[in-house]
Amino acid sequence: MADFADIIDQQQMKEHMQHALITDKVSHAYIISGESGSGKEFIAKTFAKALQCENRQDRGDYRESCNECPSCIKALSDNHPDIITITHEKPNSIGVDDIRQQLRDDVVIKPYESRYKIYIIPEGEKMTPQAQNALLKTLEEPPSYIVIIILTSNINAFLPTIISRCIVLPMKPVRDDSIINYLMQECHVVDYKAMLCASFARGNVGKALELASNERFETLKNETIELVAKLKNLEIHEIMDRVHGILENPDGDEKSSKKGIDLGQYADFMDILLFLFRDMLVYKAMGDDTHLIFTDKVSYISSVTTNCTYEGISSIIKDMEIAKNRIDSNVNIDLALELMLMGIKEYL
């Protein structure tokens, strides 16, 4: 159910929307800004449903939609005539015709059955300058009944004139404990896996949910740690063969790969390494697994920290940061990973 009580954290944003609902002071335009998967669309739809509800109710700490009136039923099925989601045929661009036909030319028609006519624009950063200028004309003289909710992962993609005419509501990273509780209680994820997913998600609920249900991530984690455990006994060509096997792009999508390496896999691979050696530092300092992320790998972590010094683990983490910076700067990815892994091998 899409209710305010279902939104994890985001207290400031919820307070703003609640104030609008309670005082009846609704802006004609909002920008919800946050990284992909952070829950922007869920919040937008929750707000839109509540705005259109015919019988709002106070439940718990929030003014919520009733979820039973005809308006709510249509909103819940994404079939409300006065809640319109802007679409675009070109995958990487929202053009001027998209905005003109679906929004600017449509706003002159009053709501069919509700108080507001709400337009939701996902991936708003994809609007071309021409599309933004077409939208600006509506923002400058909006009809009293329209509410435009722009969702974006890049607030800097907008013209200053767009931003100045909208209420900007930034998504905040969700606390790890909130994500862990949600995964365990609502998704029935076991405790150690919920902790792992929350750590990797870095405050992004959508990414945590994806990781929790992604068997490929579990395989990546195990293969990466197994590679580190065997580094001392492998030659460099064997190491790189294994790296390519771990990071290969299974779909062959050139846009999401670099030299055959899946960039999403690579990012998670680097995070796994970083958290693994961070766990080693913590275990060496604390002597127990209370604060570890990889609680299922305690035996291996303990064995490494027996022989590896603080300085050695710290040097490994620095080598990983150097490799990441090199790859981000378009240095040969194989060379950067090879140097990093040889450095790790030296200290283990």
mmCIF file of all heavy atoms in Angstrom, residues 14 45 111 123-124 134 137 191 229 239 312 329:
data_model
loop_
_atom_site.group_PDB
_atom_site.id
_atom_site.type_symbol
_atom_site.label_atom_id
_atom_site.label_comp_id
_atom_site.label_asym_id
_atom_site.label_seq_id
_atom_site.Cartn_x
_atom_site.Cartn_y
_atom_site.Cartn_z
ATOM 1 N N LYS A 14 8.306 14.214 4.136
ATOM 2 C CA LYS A 14 6.961 13.843 4.583
ATOM 3 C C LYS A 14 6.301 14.994 5.326
ATOM 4 O O LYS A 14 5.101 15.252 5.141
ATOM 5 C CB LYS A 14 7.028 12.590 5.464
ATOM 6 C CG LYS A 14 7.304 11.316 4.681
ATOM 7 C CD LYS A 14 7.115 10.066 5.512
ATOM 8 C CE LYS A 14 8.246 9.829 6.458
ATOM 9 N NZ LYS A 14 8.165 8.486 7.110
ATOM 10 N N LYS A 45 3.802 9.129 -6.113
ATOM 11 C CA LYS A 45 2.486 8.494 -6.260
ATOM 12 C C LYS A 45 1.700 8.519 -4.952
ATOM 13 O O LYS A 45 0.468 8.656 -4.958
ATOM 14 C CB LYS A 45 2.652 7.063 -6.768
ATOM 15 C CG LYS A 45 3.096 6.993 -8.226
ATOM 16 C CD LYS A 45 3.148 5.557 -8.725
ATOM 17 C CE LYS A 45 3.461 5.514 -10.223
ATOM 18 N NZ LYS A 45 3.484 4.127 -10.751
ATOM 19 N N PRO A 111 -9.530 19.186 -14.737
ATOM 20 C CA PRO A 111 -9.580 17.807 -14.242
ATOM 21 C C PRO A 111 -10.903 17.134 -14.593
ATOM 22 O O PRO A 111 -11.964 17.767 -14.562
ATOM 23 C CB PRO A 111 -9.437 17.975 -12.724
ATOM 24 C CG PRO A 111 -8.730 19.280 -12.561
ATOM 25 C CD PRO A 111 -9.192 20.153 -13.672
ATOM 26 N N GLU A 123 12.467 10.744 -14.490
ATOM 27 C CA GLU A 123 13.720 11.007 -15.215
ATOM 28 C C GLU A 123 13.736 12.409 -15.805
ATOM 29 O O GLU A 123 14.105 12.625 -16.960
ATOM 30 C CB GLU A 123 13.935 9.965 -16.316
ATOM 31 C CG GLU A 123 13.987 8.530 -15.822
ATOM 32 C CD GLU A 123 14.181 7.542 -16.942
ATOM 33 O OE1 GLU A 123 13.368 7.563 -17.902
ATOM 34 O OE2 GLU A 123 15.130 6.746 -16.868
ATOM 35 N N GLY A 124 13.339 13.370 -14.990
ATOM 36 C CA GLY A 124 13.225 14.749 -15.475
ATOM 37 C C GLY A 124 14.518 15.320 -16.012
ATOM 38 O O GLY A 124 14.496 16.241 -16.847
ATOM 39 N N ALA A 134 9.619 24.663 -22.862
ATOM 40 C CA ALA A 134 8.185 24.448 -23.082
ATOM 41 C C ALA A 134 7.471 24.271 -21.746
ATOM 42 O O ALA A 134 6.363 24.781 -21.534
ATOM 43 C CB ALA A 134 7.971 23.215 -23.963
ATOM 44 N N LYS A 137 6.893 27.627 -19.698
ATOM 45 C CA LYS A 137 5.730 28.461 -20.027
ATOM 46 C C LYS A 137 4.530 28.095 -19.177
ATOM 47 O O LYS A 137 3.728 28.954 -18.796
ATOM 48 C CB LYS A 137 5.404 28.328 -21.524
ATOM 49 C CG LYS A 137 6.490 28.925 -22.418
ATOM 50 C CD LYS A 137 6.131 28.830 -23.892
ATOM 51 C CE LYS A 137 7.228 29.454 -24.750
ATOM 52 N NZ LYS A 137 6.921 29.375 -26.208
ATOM 53 N N ASP A 191 19.067 -11.888 8.921
ATOM 54 C CA ASP A 191 19.732 -10.735 9.516
ATOM 55 C C ASP A 191 21.075 -10.385 8.876
ATOM 56 O O ASP A 191 21.313 -9.221 8.515
ATOM 57 C CB ASP A 191 19.893 -10.924 11.026
ATOM 58 C CG ASP A 191 20.592 -12.235 11.381
ATOM 59 O OD1 ASP A 191 20.930 -13.002 10.459
ATOM 60 O OD2 ASP A 191 20.801 -12.479 12.590
ATOM 61 N N ALA A 229 41.185 -14.953 -1.256
ATOM 62 C CA ALA A 229 41.730 -16.027 -0.419
ATOM 63 C C ALA A 229 42.779 -16.846 -1.163
ATOM 64 O O ALA A 229 43.682 -17.426 -0.538
ATOM 65 C CB ALA A 229 40.590 -16.926 0.062
ATOM 66 N N ILE A 239 45.050 -14.885 -12.154
ATOM 67 C CA ILE A 239 44.257 -13.887 -11.415
ATOM 68 C C ILE A 239 43.344 -13.131 -12.369
ATOM 69 O O ILE A 239 42.145 -12.987 -12.129
ATOM 70 C CB ILE A 239 45.183 -12.903 -10.670
ATOM 71 C CG1 ILE A 239 45.942 -13.631 -9.561
ATOM 72 C CG2 ILE A 239 44.373 -11.733 -10.095
ATOM 73 C CD1 ILE A 239 47.025 -12.784 -8.891
ATOM 74 N N GLY A 312 49.615 -3.025 6.577
ATOM 75 C CA GLY A 312 49.383 -3.782 5.351
ATOM 76 C C GLY A 312 47.954 -3.654 4.863
ATOM 77 O O GLY A 312 47.717 -3.414 3.669
ATOM 78 N N SER A 329 39.210 7.586 -14.300
ATOM 79 C CA SER A 329 39.882 8.524 -15.212
ATOM 80 C C SER A 329 40.201 7.883 -16.553
ATOM 81 O O SER A 329 41.019 8.403 -17.316
ATOM 82 C CB SER A 329 41.179 9.028 -14.562
ATOM 83 O OG SER A 329 40.914 9.670 -13.338
#
